[in-house]
Amino acid sequence: MEIIKLDKIDSTNIYLKNKEKKKDGIVVIAKEQSAGRGRRGNKWYSSDGAGLFSFLLEEKRELIEQGEERLPLIVGYAMYKVLKDEFNLDFKFKWTNDIYLYDKKVSGILVEKVEKFYIIGIGINLNNKISSEIENIAISLGDIVGEYIDIDKIVEKIVKGIYLYLDKYLNGEWRDILQELNTINYLYGKRIEIKMGDLVEKGIAGDILEDGRLEVFTSDGIKRYNIGEIHISNNDEIKSDK
Ligand code: BTN
């Protein structure tokens, strides 16, 4: 693992995208980002003390054959496993790959593809203070554990974890991974809104399916989503058996 440490950059994902010599396993960690990017063109608040990093994963034939569209789920699962192992808190997995704690977001993942590489960008609230602007939706792990978290150490564990669980996926363990994901499925039983362009559909989220899509119970029947924006319209637990 080659680690590049930067004080300030626009975005660690952009840095790797523009890097001329790309190589599997290059990790870039930044103390600050001036233009942190989230999924669907959202901004990522990159406050001081957060874990902000991206790494390059080279495309593999087996991954394409077994379904590269599941990669974000595998990365999210690996995040969950590492955080659970490290902090043993009640983390949840929000499809497609956010990690939640006590109904607030701890970490987000942005997977992009450039040439023959996936750029896996991860933002995780570690030692940063959550600004009042987002305090209803975000949570910082340092505030919960009450001590300083070593960013480099956790980044290294996460990157190793991603390789480990990707290997398990490629070795046929998807069903076990999926089963565990469904026990920590944050959206399960919640009323959600699915936004695709101008189209908005309402429903109740169900399980994450074999092909990685999310099952949603709508007034028009059961639907399965793999694209678009998923918004939780409120936090009503319709079903409470999970
Ligand atoms: C999301 O939840 O929408 C994904 C957020 C991903 C943020 C990280 S921070 C490090 C890397 N660089 C970026 O510009 N984005 C990712």
Side-chain angles (χ1 to χ4, degrees), residues 97-220:
N97 57 16
D98 294 336
I99 304 297
Y100 267 54
L101 179 65
Y102 311 143
D103 287 320
K104 293 178 179 179
K105 183 158 162 167
V106 174
S107 118
I109 298 167
L110 175 67
V111 179
E112 300 182 281
K113 199 166 182 192
V114 176
E115 300 150 27
K116 296 258 177 242
F117 290 90
Y118 305 95
I119 299 175
I120 300 181
I122 296 180
I124 164 163
N125 296 318
L126 291 175
N127 305 305
N128 50 311
K129 289 276 159 259
I130 302 293
S131 70
S132 55
E133 226 178 311
I134 54 167
E135 67 185 2
N136 292 332
I137 53 167
I139 193 167
S140 192
L141 269 175
D143 285 343
I144 302 299
V145 298
E147 58 188 43
Y148 180 83
I149 300 165
D150 185 329
I151 298 181
D152 294 356
K153 202 175 103 196
I154 200 95
V155 168
E156 213 173 301
K157 284 194 175 170
I158 292 168
V159 174
K160 282 188 181 150
I162 292 170
Y163 279 106
L164 174 75
Y165 290 102
L166 184 61
D167 260 7
K168 288 186 187 285
Y169 171 64
L170 297 177
N171 287 319
E173 293 188 32
W174 169 238
R175 278 178 185 237
D176 295 339
I177 294 174
L178 182 62
Q179 200 176 18
E180 190 169 358
L181 281 180
N182 273 313
T183 66
I184 47 159
N185 177 3
Y186 178 73
L187 291 180
Y188 186 87
K190 290 192 165 67
R191 287 181 194 280
I192 60 171
E193 275 188 5
I194 300 104
K195 287 191 183 173
M196 283 174 298
D198 289 341
L199 209 80
V200 179
E201 182 132 49
K202 289 186 180 172
I204 295 168
D207 281 328
I208 301 162
L209 302 169
E210 167 71 23
D211 60 7
R213 291 187 293 175
L214 183 74
E215 183 173 54
V216 181
F217 299 89
T218 74
S219 53
D220 287 340

Side-chain angles (χ1 to χ4, degrees), residues 11-13 33 36-39 44 53-54 105 108-109 122-123:
S11 145
T12 51
N13 268 40
Q33 285 185 136
R37 297 158 61 233
R39 278 178 290 132
W44 176 262
F53 67 101
S54 303
K105 183 158 162 167
I109 298 167
I122 296 180

Side-chain angles (χ1 to χ4, degrees), residues 5 87-88 95 98:
K5 289 190 189 175
F87 303 104
N88 198 22
W95 186 88
D98 294 336

